């Protein structure tokens, strides 16, 4: 008989976050040796070449100008109406699909994923995601009694593996009548990969096939990093493909202000839904309102107000775009140096296009990271490889990094 007080279903639950553990080791090393003598590749936030956390200047200016009431007053559980409209606008930009749309304010992108899983998958059943994924998906599923199943993101040519995706969908739908699919694109965490319009066309063909057989399919597109994936309308071009889909194919987007507005700790996001059915969207909004009230009650009013101000002012939008472009260019330059040197030294890297992270495939990620720590390089060990956050490594520390990672991989 257990001697602890927790419910039996909760006994043994323990958070094992390898990324935060690696980050803690990097901070300890910085204190011991000096930040200038280590490479901290664990951070998932943008930092300038001074290695300080970066905030978009216009965001800081607006935030500091808000009245105290915006920081202390409650907001409706579903979110301020203006914020919900702004989140829809920010999600789609000029590429809004045809159909009915609504949004629910959430506690960051994580909150959006949580309520999508809660409301669009059945207890005890499978949710599908790619094998190269944000590890928190697993916990978000298991926390509420779902099982995360994966498909291989890449085929032998390092392109999107539509065969693995199609096979996984078919296998799951032999056993259940509905399925939630989570796809993190563009600027996938942890690879920097992005699905093309052709990839999405093939994904939707698979979904249509099963919908015609009476299955219900929900797709959650995790767009947490889209603000740093390139031209805002080009990166969203695939969204038009979700226009007028069959009633039983429902698309959602997990929107976050963490990356695009550098408001990581303010925990503001939204779950945005688009459907050909007005009734599906009405149900989506009511379920979202209920889930929000029973999960976090309501979210950061000040952050919601900031988004409303920006989206209501063309001049501010242009400033945000310009400041993001400057941050994006810094990340692009760092990634370009690393990828060029990886090619020169023969380091195998997962296909990278844009985004915060580059990953190196290895079956011994923990051992590789331990080797790197011996050189005062700190990276995140994942199930399929080692993740490096080029979003936060200063350009001066990039040259030679790929060769050192190659040495560590070869050593194990």
């Amino acid at each position: 008989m257990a001697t602890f007080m927790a419910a039996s279903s909760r006994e043994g639950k323990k958070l094992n976050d390898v990324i935060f553990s690696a980050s803690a080791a990097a901070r300890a090393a910085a204190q011991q040796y000096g930040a200038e003598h280590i490479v901290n590749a664990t951070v998932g936030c943008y930092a300038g070449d001074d290695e300080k956390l970066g905030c978009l200047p216009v965001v800081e200016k607006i935030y500091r100008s808000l009245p105290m009431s915006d920081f202390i007053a409650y907001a409706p559980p579903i979110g301020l109406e203006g914020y919900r409209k702004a989140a829809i606008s920010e999600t789609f930009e000029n590429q809004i699909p045809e159909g009915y749309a609504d949004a629910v304010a959430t506690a960051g992108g994580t909150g959006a994923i949580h309520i999508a899983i809660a409301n669009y998958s059945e207890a005890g059943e499978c949710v599908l995601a790619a094998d190269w994924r944000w590890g928190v998906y697993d916990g978000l599923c298991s926390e509420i009694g779902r099982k995360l199943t994966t498909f291989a993101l890449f085929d032998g040519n390092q392109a999107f593996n539509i065969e693995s995706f199609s096979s996984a969908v078919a296998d799951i739908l032999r056993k259940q009548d509905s399925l939630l699919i989570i796809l993190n694109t563009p600027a996938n965490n942890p690879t920097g990969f992005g699905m093309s319009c052709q990839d999405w066309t093939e994904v939707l063909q698979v979904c249509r096939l099963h919908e015609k057989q009476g299955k219900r399919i929900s797709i959650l597109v995790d767009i947490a990093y889209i603000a740093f994936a390139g031209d805002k309308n080009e990166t969203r071009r695939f969204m038009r493909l979700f226009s007028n889909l069959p009633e039983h194919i429902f698309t959602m987007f997990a929107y976050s202000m963490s990356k695009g507005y550098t408001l990581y700790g303010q925990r503001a996001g939204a779950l945005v839904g688009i459907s050909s059915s007005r009734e599906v969207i009405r149900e989506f909004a009511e379920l979202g309102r209920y889930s929000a009230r029973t999960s976090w009650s309501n979210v950061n009013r000040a952050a919601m107000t900031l988004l409303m101000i920006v989206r209501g002012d063309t001049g501010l939008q242009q400033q945000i775009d310009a400041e993001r472009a400057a941050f994006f260019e810094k990340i692009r330059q760092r990634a370009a140096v690393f990828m060029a040197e990886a090619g020169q030294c023969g380091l195998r890297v997962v296909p990278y296009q844009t985004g915060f992270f580059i990953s190196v495939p290895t079956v011994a990620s923990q051992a590789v990271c331990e080797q790197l720590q011996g050189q005062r390089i700190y990276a995140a060990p994942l199930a399929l490889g080692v993740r490096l956050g080029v979003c936060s490594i200063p350009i001066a520390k990039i040259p030679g990094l790929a060769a050192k990672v190659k040495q560590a991989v070869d050593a194990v």
Side-chain angles (χ1 to χ4, degrees):
M1 181 177 178
T3 58
F4 300 104
M5 289 299 295
S8 60
S9 62
R10 307 301 291 175
E11 288 179 14
K13 292 234 180 229
K14 182 179 180 181
L15 181 65
N16 180 27
D17 195 314
V18 295
I19 295 174
F20 278 99
S21 296
S23 183
R27 290 194 301 271
Q31 290 182 342
Q32 182 176 357
Y33 304 112
E36 68 276 15
H37 298 301
I38 74 159
V39 175
N40 185 357
T42 69
V43 181
C45 306
Y46 173 80
D49 285 335
D50 59 0
E51 299 191 66
K52 293 181 180 178
L53 189 65
C55 180
L56 295 168
V58 71
V59 169
E60 180 175 0
K61 181 179 179 181
I62 295 170
Y63 222 45
R64 290 182 180 276
S65 73
L66 296 177
M68 183 53 66
S69 59
D70 274 322
F71 292 95
I72 64 174
Y74 283 126
I78 200 170
L80 298 171
E81 183 177 357
Y83 173 76
R84 292 160 57 208
K85 291 178 179 177
I88 294 169
S89 174
E90 180 103 1
T91 293
F92 297 118
E93 294 293 350
N94 292 337
Q95 303 288 0
I96 187 165
E98 295 177 13
Y100 300 98
D102 207 339
V104 178
T106 61
T110 306
I113 298 163
H114 165 69
I115 65 173
I117 295 170
N119 292 329
Y120 293 93
S121 65
E122 298 286 351
E125 293 193 344
C126 292
V127 172
L128 182 64
D131 52 359
W132 284 99
R133 66 191 183 281
W134 186 39
V136 179
Y137 291 161
D138 301 62
L140 287 168
C141 286
S142 64
E143 172 66 8
I144 55 173
R146 275 64 167 174
K147 305 169 189 174
L148 189 76
T149 299
T150 62
F151 69 95
L153 181 58
F154 301 111
D155 62 17
N157 296 318
Q158 298 296 284
F160 181 77
N161 196 334
I162 188 61
E163 291 186 7
S164 180
F165 173 82
S166 179
S167 176
V169 171
D171 286 347
I172 294 171
L173 289 177
R174 288 190 190 99
K175 307 165 192 170
Q176 55 193 65
D177 293 325
S178 64
L179 174 62
L180 173 65
I181 301 165
I182 304 176
L183 295 170
N184 174 207
T185 184
N188 167 272
N189 175 7
T191 69
F193 175 76
M195 292 171 61
S196 68
C197 284
Q198 180 59 37
D199 295 334
W200 273 112
T201 297
E202 293 174 352
V203 162
L204 291 174
Q205 286 174 346
V206 171
C207 294
R208 283 189 174 95
L209 172 65
H210 291 282
E211 191 271 343
K212 287 179 180 177
Q213 297 172 358
K215 304 296 185 178
R216 292 176 290 115
I217 297 177
S218 298
I219 302 170
L220 175 63
V221 190
D222 182 354
I223 56 170
Y225 297 88
I226 198 167
F228 294 96
D231 177 80
K232 65 183 182 181
N233 284 305
E234 180 60 27
T235 58
R236 288 167 168 81
R237 196 158 55 90
F238 73 93
M239 295 179 179
R240 292 272 188 179
L241 297 173
F242 300 114
S243 295
N244 300 316
L245 289 174
E247 184 176 6
H248 292 134
I249 299 177
F250 179 42
T251 312
M252 295 169 284
F253 296 83
Y255 167 75
S256 172
M257 292 185 71
S258 296
K259 281 73 179 178
Y261 282 82
T262 59
L263 288 175
Y264 310 97
Q266 298 305 293
R267 312 313 303 140
L271 184 63
V272 177
I274 185 85
S275 174
S276 60
S277 167
R278 187 191 301 270
E279 291 308 310
V280 166
I281 287 298
R282 284 177 178 166
E283 176 187 60
F284 165 79
E286 286 305 318
L287 288 171
R289 190 194 315 271
Y290 177 86
S291 294
R293 186 69 172 116
T294 56
S295 297
W296 47 76
S297 184
N298 63 113
V299 303
N300 188 320
R301 189 184 190 104
M304 289 194 283
T305 301
L306 183 144
L307 185 67
M308 291 161 56
I309 290 170
V310 170
R311 296 303 300 189
D313 187 316
T314 302
L316 289 176
Q317 288 183 50
Q318 291 172 346
Q319 287 183 55
I320 288 279
D321 288 346
E323 291 173 3
R324 281 180 186 154
F327 284 12
F328 173 76
E329 179 59 20
K330 286 279 190 183
I331 298 171
R332 190 201 64 77
Q333 290 173 2
R334 297 166 185 172
V337 173
F338 183 91
M339 293 298 288
E341 293 192 354
Q344 292 164 8
C345 72
L347 174 66
R348 193 160 68 98
V349 177
V350 178
Y352 173 85
Q353 295 170 5
T354 57
F356 278 28
F357 307 109
I358 294 174
S359 285
V360 175
T362 173
V363 296
S365 62
Q366 186 62 48
V368 170
C369 286
E370 289 171 0
Q371 286 283 329
L372 288 171
Q373 287 186 18
Q375 301 182 70
R376 297 177 189 170
I377 298 169
Y378 296 84
L382 307 178
L384 297 180
V386 173
R387 192 190 79 175
L388 301 158
V390 289
C391 55
S392 60
I393 306 172
I395 190 73
K397 292 184 178 181
I398 297 288
L401 180 59
K404 291 176 181 177
V405 175
K406 177 70 162 58
Q407 291 170 6
V409 171
D410 290 345
V412 301

